[in-house]
Amino acid sequence: MTGDILKYLREKEYVSGEVLAQKLGISRVAVWKQIQRLKNIGYEIIADQNLGYCLISRPDLLIPQEVQRGLSTKYIGKEIYYIPELKSTNIIAKEKALHRAEGINEGTLIIAERQSAGKGRLGREWFSPAGGIWLSIILYPKLPPSYIPRITLMTAVAVVKAIKMCTQIEPQIKWPNDILINEKKVCGILTEMSAELDIINWVVVGIGINVNIDHQKFPEDIQANTISLKEVSGKEVLRVKLAQSFLRVFEKYYDKLKRKEFSSILEEWKLYSHTLGRKIRVDMGERIITGEAVDINEEGALVLKKEDDELVKIISGTIV
Ligand code: BT5
């Protein structure tokens, strides 16, 4: 209902309560209530006794009406569950992904303004206050489970391209799932899935971008290693625009991946890489391997050259 009111308010400078009531088939009091709801979530609307209602400004909230307005994707973001505050968008997305048969389609998004229990990999916490983009995308790729690392890599490239387009800042990608600016983390990606032996049932890609977050808001223990786009650009970045750019590029690259055209995506990944050519230590859970990161192969695995020149392929791990 609020979506319909917004549509009419956008069309004309002023729209009277009577006209809105007529168009929507509701009472003028009901119109007034909907206007109050819009004001409560940040829309600035003035009311003139003779002329009616006038929309003055929109909030930079990631509500579906705003994200979907002008979004040029075919299926990513066509359905959005917007929950201003929740534990973790990935948790809700995983619950929803189980209900594919009931109409939870590929490209469905879960978006939040704040997460109370945002998740990183391996049970780590993801700090998610207001001002960031915290969203999860539900996918059902007809691909083998071995494609999961490639999905994370292509998501990283899509994030970098979107940030570049909206802010002129060029971030770097730290294998496998971190986006860095000035060596500090601005975005993390959490890819989760359910699969049979040779086919993926569903994938949930969670993306967290620090957009308009003041540095002192980060918990002390991670302050030294984190950064937000607002800090780097010196001004607020429009989250709706950034989210839209990301979703558009994401769909383009994901379509490529589904056609098994990963090479060009990999080339771009390498262009933005923070990892290749460096001496690194990779924590693989049961052991830590040291060596030079010499390549990312066609499967999305990191190729490490050890001191003794032996090449090791690593599918998942954390650079320490
Ligand atoms: C990640 O894990 O980087 C994946 C983060 C994914 C977050 C998104 S938000 C939407 C969706 N819903 C979720 O619940 N999660 C996803 P990992 O590589 O394990 O890094 C986690 C580490 O990053 C933490 O241990 C902290 O050191 C650091 N960290 C936590 N919050 C951060 C933040 N906001 N910005 C930068 N670094 C952060």
Side-chain angles (χ1 to χ4, degrees):
M1 182 67 75
T2 48
D4 292 329
I5 291 195
L6 278 175
K7 196 177 115 219
Y8 292 119
L9 289 178
R10 282 196 185 108
E11 281 172 4
K12 282 194 175 159
E13 199 183 351
Y14 279 93
V15 191
S16 72
E18 204 175 320
V19 168
L20 284 173
Q22 253 176 22
K23 293 217 190 237
L24 300 171
I26 57 175
S27 70
R28 283 175 66 174
V29 175
V31 168
W32 181 84
K33 280 193 182 146
Q34 295 299 329
I35 295 278
Q36 298 314 308
R37 280 187 61 188
L38 287 168
K39 284 169 129 179
N40 286 342
I41 54 175
Y43 286 89
E44 212 182 321
I45 299 168
I46 53 165
D48 179 279
Q49 255 190 345
N50 301 318
L51 299 171
Y53 297 108
C54 173
L55 178 64
I56 301 283
S57 71
R58 300 179 283 138
D60 186 31
L61 289 177
L62 297 168
I63 45 183
Q65 291 102 309
E66 297 297 340
V67 174
Q68 286 170 333
R69 193 165 160 254
L71 181 67
S72 60
T73 54
K74 292 188 296 294
Y75 57 94
I76 300 286
K78 284 292 157 215
E79 289 161 66
I80 299 180
Y81 290 84
Y82 172 74
I83 308 168
E85 174 136 18
L86 45 54
K87 282 190 173 160
S88 151
T89 55
N90 265 41
I91 293 179
I92 305 281
K94 284 193 287 180
E95 283 168 14
K96 298 248 181 247
L98 297 173
H99 297 281
R100 180 181 190 177
E102 293 155 35
I104 301 293
N105 296 321
E106 172 146 278
T108 299
L109 306 183
I110 316 295
I111 305 185
E113 299 290 344
R114 276 180 298 271
Q115 300 186 113
S116 58
K119 296 195 304 166
R121 294 180 304 147
L122 306 166
R124 291 190 279 254
E125 285 176 22
W126 184 258
F127 173 68
S128 330
I133 292 179
W134 324 121
L135 67 81
S136 300
I137 309 175
I138 297 172
L139 304 170
Y140 306 110
K142 288 195 193 83
L143 294 168
S146 61
Y147 266 72
I148 291 297
R150 278 169 265 202
I151 293 181
T152 304
L153 298 190
M154 65 137 273
T155 303
V157 175
V159 171
V160 169
K161 293 206 87 155
I163 290 179
K164 231 177 118 177
M165 272 185 257
C166 293
T167 65
Q168 323 276 297
I169 301 163
E170 184 168 313
Q172 289 189 299
I173 309 171
K174 179 172 155 199
W175 183 88
N177 69 320
D178 290 354
I179 312 293
L180 308 181
I181 298 175
N182 302 339
E183 308 277 322
K184 294 175 180 191
K185 188 157 168 175
V186 70
C187 166
I189 299 161
L190 175 64
T191 310
E192 299 186 272
M193 65 142 180
S194 148
E196 311 287 318
L197 207 54
D198 53 3
I199 191 81
I200 293 171
N201 296 324
W202 53 256
V203 177
V204 164
V205 183
I207 299 105
I209 311 178
N210 300 326
V211 187
N212 299 320
I213 301 174
D214 293 325
H215 199 80
Q216 67 273 18
K217 292 243 174 78
F218 287 109
E220 244 167 53
D221 58 327
I222 60 168
Q223 270 197 9
N225 299 318
T226 51
I227 201 161
S228 77
L229 294 177
K230 181 183 170 188
E231 272 180 86
V232 187
S233 57
K235 56 178 191 281
E236 299 233 331
V237 172
L238 283 177
R239 290 183 309 151
V240 169
K241 269 245 161 88
L242 179 58
Q244 289 176 328
S245 298
F246 165 70
L247 296 172
R248 190 167 47 77
V249 183
F250 180 91
E251 183 177 278
K252 187 174 135 201
Y253 284 63
Y254 177 58
D255 280 345
K256 269 194 192 186
L257 194 69
K258 284 194 286 188
R259 295 193 302 265
K260 306 205 167 161
E261 296 168 12
F262 182 59
S263 309
S264 61
I265 302 173
L266 184 58
E267 284 315 308
E268 286 202 72
W269 192 99
K270 289 180 184 174
L271 211 64
Y272 301 130
S273 161
H274 175 270
T275 305
L276 295 182
R278 287 178 191 257
K279 280 234 157 180
I280 54 172
R281 282 153 50 81
V282 184
D283 184 348
M284 299 172 63
E286 74 288 0
R287 66 200 168 113
I288 290 180
I289 306 190
T290 306
E292 188 192 339
V294 288
D295 199 12
I296 303 284
N297 70 12
E298 281 290 330
E299 280 138 37
L302 174 68
V303 184
L304 208 66
K305 189 173 168 192
K306 295 203 304 184
E307 301 254 286
D308 58 6
D309 282 350
E310 187 199 345
L311 293 177
V312 192
K313 282 188 224 161
I314 306 174
I315 292 288
S316 89
T318 303
I319 298 177
V320 289

